[in-house]
Structure formats: C-alpha cells, structure tokens
Amino acid sequence: MKRLISLFTLILMVSCAFASEKPNILWLFSDDHAYQAIGAYGGRFEKENLTPNIDSIAKSGMLFERAYVANSICAPSRATLLTGKHSHLNGKYDNRGGFNHNQQQFQKILQKSGYQTAMIGKIHLNGKMQGFDYWEVLPGQGRYWNPDFITEKGRTKYKGQHSTTVITDRALNWLKTGRDEKKPFMLMVHYKAPHRHWEPNKKQKAAFRSRTFPEPDTLFDDYEGRGTAAHKQDMSIAKTMTMNSDVKAYQPERKAYLEKHNPQGKDLIRWKYQAYMQDYLGCIAGVDENVGRLLAHLKESGLDKNTVVMYSADQGFYLGEHGWFDKRFMYEESFRTPLVASWKGVIKPGSRNSDLVQNIDFAETFLDIAGAPIPEDMQGRSLVPLLKGKTPKDWRTSLYYHYYEYPAVHSVRKHEGVADKRYKLIRFYGQDVPNGEEWEFYDLKNDPQEMQSQYANPEHSDIIASLKKELTKLRTQYKVPAIQ
Ligand code: CA
C-alpha cells in the first residue's frame, strides 16, 4: 500500500513538474498596426527606428512574411482570434451588432487545460468576456485619453492617462500580483493604438512633430486599372481625412503652418499625409516603448525563459498607399498583418517564415503551445510546426478572404477572394456593384502594388479559371453560405 502511495505521489509530482513547465503565452496585439510600420519588415520606414522592441521579438524569434487576415476589420478580426473561425461561422461579420460570447473560444479550452487566462485592453466585442480568469477591457473603441475600463466588477476611469500606458500598467500589475504561480498563463495585451484618430502620448507627440516621413509611390493613385470599389471608396487622405479630428489642424503649430503656407491640391494632400504619419507613427512608437516595458519585466522576472511572446495586429492599414488610410480591402496593405514570435529554445533566432498563415490559425496555435485539445470545427491550423521550422508538406497554398461591411463608413463594397503566393482574384458583389458582380485579378510578381487588374487579359485566363475553382473549393472547405 505504502509503495502504491509513493508511486502515486511520484506520478503526481512528475505531472505537476510538467504542468509548471508548460510555456506561458504573452500575446501582444494592436489595432490597425500596418506591417509597413515595423522596422523588421523593411520598407520605407525601415530607417526610422520606430519599433526597436517589436523588432527584437523578430530578432530573437521568427518573422512571418505572409501573415493575413480573413476579414480586414476590427471586431470581426478579434472574433476570429478568439474562435479560430471565419466570420460566417463565429457570427461576427462586421463592426455592428453583437458577438455571441457563449460560443466556443480558445481561452475557455485553455482554462480547462490548467491555464490562467487574462485579457487586458481593447477587445471591441460588447458584453461580458468568458473564459478569462481576469479581464479588463475598454468599452467599444475606447478612448486614448482618460480611458474607462470595464471589469467583472464595474467601470474605472484612468484620469489624465494615455490608454497605451494604462494597458501596459494593468498588464504589469497582473503579471506581478494577479498570477497563480502554480499555473502557466495566457496574457493577452491589446492596445487601442494606433487606431484612428491617432493620438500619441505626449512624449511621442512632441518627438514626431518635427519629423518628415517618406511618401508611398502610390500617394496620388487615380485608380485607373481597377474597378468600381477602388473608385468609389471613401477613405482617401484627399477627401475623407478630416482637417479637424483626423489631421488636428487646430493644434497651434499646424494651424500656424496652414495660415502661413495655405497649401492646396497635392501640397495639401502631402501636408495631411505628414500630419497623419506624425500622429500614427507616434502612436506606434508609444506601443513599441510599452512592449519594451513588458519584455523587460519578463527578463527581470526570469519569465522570458518559458514564455512565448507574439505580436500581431487585427489587420493591416493604408499609410497613404493608394492615397488611403483605413483598411477593409483585400489589397495587400490591409489584407496582410504583422506577426512576429519568440520562444526560447524552440524558435531559431532571426528566422523568417514565408508560408501563408492567417488569423484563423491563432486560436489553434495557442492551444497547441499549451498541449490542449484542438476542436475539429476550428478552421485554421497550428503554427507550432512552422515556429519549429518544420512546415508540414500539406500546408495551405491559398487563402480565403471575405469582407461584408457595406453600406457603411468608408464605402468599401462587399467582396470575397482567393490569394496564393503570387496571384489574387477578388470578386466584388452586391449593392452598388455594377451588374451585381465585378472581378479583379492581380499578378503580384509583376504588379506588387496592385495597380492594374488583369482580369480581362486573355493571357491569364487559365490561371483565373483555376483560381475560380480554388475559390469554390475554399468556400466548400470553410462552409461559406451561398451568397448572391
Ligand atoms: Ca483594427
């Protein structure tokens, strides 16, 4: 008997030891952070040194060169993050309407598998969070300054403070005082920044005010070569970006410049672009500085040895490319999203992955890291083999995309599409699309900026036909309901 008990104790001790060695996960997420605005991704802001801390995650881990979203807009992207499902299955098609919190979500499974779970910051899904041992979230879009936060117990206002700082402070507080040290944790830190209206904290506001940033090649795009949707959108720097809340022309130094120089036409667009970049990139620098505070805490506390750190955003964003701000389109700048990850002893430092990954993969990745069961009905795949540098032979070769929010702010027509590593086929459909349907096709190898749809070019008819087949296949695979 005694022997049996000691054997039992031994098994218990061993299993506890294993349990405590399960990796923690620190998930860092921001709102509208374009990959172009991360140094590690290269591009026109590479030399601006905007994101040394986010870059350090890539340097010590892996950068995903081809991470994409399933529906490029805030709330649906978060619903996909939690459920591992496309919008049509999690029910969150657009920013309007509710989210069914009662449905399956990865954090509920993590919790059952012995993880302590916490969500701090912007989730943009109304209603009480489920599956989190601790949650403290901004109501709706939340505010940059004097933000309110909602918890299980009610509402707190953080007077005189910037949301990026408060979110980090609250996350650090949870790491220091809220943890059950017997359990591994999943901490999700979700920044509101750099969402419109791009209000950086004081330090970054002052530092970025005098800077001038490179313009994109396509700032003065006239949309020739593309269809109705690109022509009729309402998200341009020229026409949509407001002088008041967006560009903040009332601020003294900006007001003074405008009064003195009175820029018009292209000069005014250029000036608005610079003001936009000063504020947007200032927000990014603030997020990065705060990511640095979290990374420093992991290091000081020794948690860095067993914590997977991932940084991503709910979608990409236009930083003046095509003359735009905002997102929604399946064109590359908003379809893509940043993704970097570090995991000591597992990810080879400085590695880059070019497989097609999508935000439907995140939930399964978290579960896989935790060794928790992955439900059959989640629609992505775990990225863990990729993190280990071993992409499975049957990894996906195409992505499905679907945007639904129309008619709505920014007037981007409904569309779905399919993309592989080189080609992209988009079908705009429904209200305010001529004849109810309009196709566009791009060869990104020859036209990386997607300036000229080649849909009508007979040279591409074979590849277009095969992409149409692929689209049908993906619609069946992902159980997309019939549309018009
Ligand atoms: Ca967003």
Side-chain angles (χ1 to χ4, degrees), residues 31-32 74 314-315 327:
D31 195 334
D32 295 354
C74 307
D314 60 349
Q315 15 60 213
K327 54 257 181 181

Side-chain angles (χ1 to χ4, degrees), residues 30-33 73-75 78 122 195 314-317 327:
S30 55
D31 195 334
D32 295 354
H33 192 171
I73 183 165
C74 307
R78 286 147 208 275
K122 181 174 177 182
H195 192 275
D314 60 349
Q315 15 60 213
F317 213 67
K327 54 257 181 181

Side-chain angles (χ1 to χ4, degrees), residues 89 94 291 435 466:
L89 289 195
D94 57 38
V291 166
N435 307 315
S466 84

Side-chain angles (χ1 to χ4, degrees), residues 423-425 440-442 452-455 460 463-464 467:
Y423 300 106
K424 189 183 293 180
L425 181 71
E440 293 180 15
F441 168 80
Y442 299 95
Q452 182 66 54
S453 169
Q454 300 288 337
Y455 186 72
H460 297 293
I463 180 74
I464 290 171
L467 280 176

Side-chain angles (χ1 to χ4, degrees), residues 410-430:
H410 297 307
S411 284
V412 174
R413 278 132 180 88
K414 292 181 184 182
H415 57 290
E416 63 171 348
V418 56
D420 62 20
K421 282 189 171 183
R422 176 167 175 182
Y423 300 106
K424 189 183 293 180
L425 181 71
I426 311 175
R427 175 181 173 264
F428 293 93
Y429 70 91

